[in-house]
Amino acid sequence: EMKDDIYEADCNRFEYYLSGQKNSDKWSEGYNHSSLYPDWAEDMVMIQTWTLDCRPSREEVFQRLNRFSQHCRRLNIPNPYSKYDIYQADQRWKKLHQNAVPSLVDFESASETITECRDIRPSLAVEPVMEGDGDFDF
């Protein structure tokens, strides 16, 4: 029901590292962990990634990510990574919302500025009327 109010959606899997991550020591206490890569490949990767022996399994996590991504595509909710994708997401947003800010591409080319009141009627100025019949007269 709210798909037109969502600019973009991004879903990332949980990545576990032995150290340097909040509560990584607590995660390592409760679960068996193993390197995602074989021993011979450890020197080739910049950041070692570990897998945890717990639910959901790695396969289930990727199945969930895939279902989420497919659902977003069906609803036309973008997950922009490239400049073109961001432009497409901005064009979609402009069609859905009259007062949407210009796209990033429009800002780069300096063809647009932010106008927050595109579809707002100007208010009428009213003359103040001074009335009083008590202690607090103006």
Side-chain angles (χ1 to χ4, degrees), residues 2-119:
M2 297 177 60
K3 66 181 177 57
D4 292 345
D5 296 318
I6 300 172
Y7 175 79
E8 68 178 320
D10 192 11
C11 186
N12 295 293
R13 66 187 183 280
F14 171 75
E15 301 247 351
Y16 170 70
Y17 304 98
L18 287 177
S19 62
Q21 185 177 23
K22 184 170 173 46
N23 294 329
S24 57
D25 54 337
K26 291 180 183 175
W27 279 98
S28 65
E29 290 172 7
Y31 303 101
N32 294 326
H33 56 273
S34 59
S35 174
L36 183 61
Y37 304 102
D39 292 340
W40 59 266
E42 284 186 18
D43 291 339
M44 291 186 267
V45 294
M46 292 181 69
I47 300 174
Q48 184 62 269
T49 304
W50 301 86
T51 60
L52 293 172
D53 182 23
C54 64
R55 299 247 341 121
S57 67
R58 187 169 170 79
E59 291 78 16
E60 176 66 22
V61 168
F62 280 97
Q63 288 172 0
R64 291 177 184 181
L65 288 169
N66 191 31
R67 283 196 316 265
F68 176 82
S69 297
Q70 288 175 356
H71 187 66
C72 288
R73 277 193 296 275
R74 275 194 305 273
L75 295 176
N76 197 27
I77 298 171
N79 184 5
Y81 282 104
S82 70
K83 195 171 185 177
Y84 177 75
D85 292 338
I86 292 169
Y87 177 76
Q88 293 293 94
D90 284 340
Q91 295 307 310
R92 170 188 171 266
W93 198 248
K94 276 187 195 178
K95 288 178 187 173
L96 292 172
H97 304 281
Q98 280 185 307
N99 285 330
V101 298
S103 70
L104 293 175
V105 175
D106 293 336
F107 278 127
E108 282 184 351
S109 65
S111 65
E112 285 272 358
T113 58
I114 294 179
T115 306
E116 296 181 9
C117 302
R118 289 185 194 156
D119 194 39

Side-chain angles (χ1 to χ4, degrees), residues 113-131:
T113 58
I114 294 179
T115 306
E116 296 181 9
C117 302
R118 289 185 194 156
D119 194 39
I120 298 174
R121 289 176 280 153
S123 57
L124 301 173
V126 177
E127 290 291 324
V129 176
M130 302 297 192
E131 293 181 7

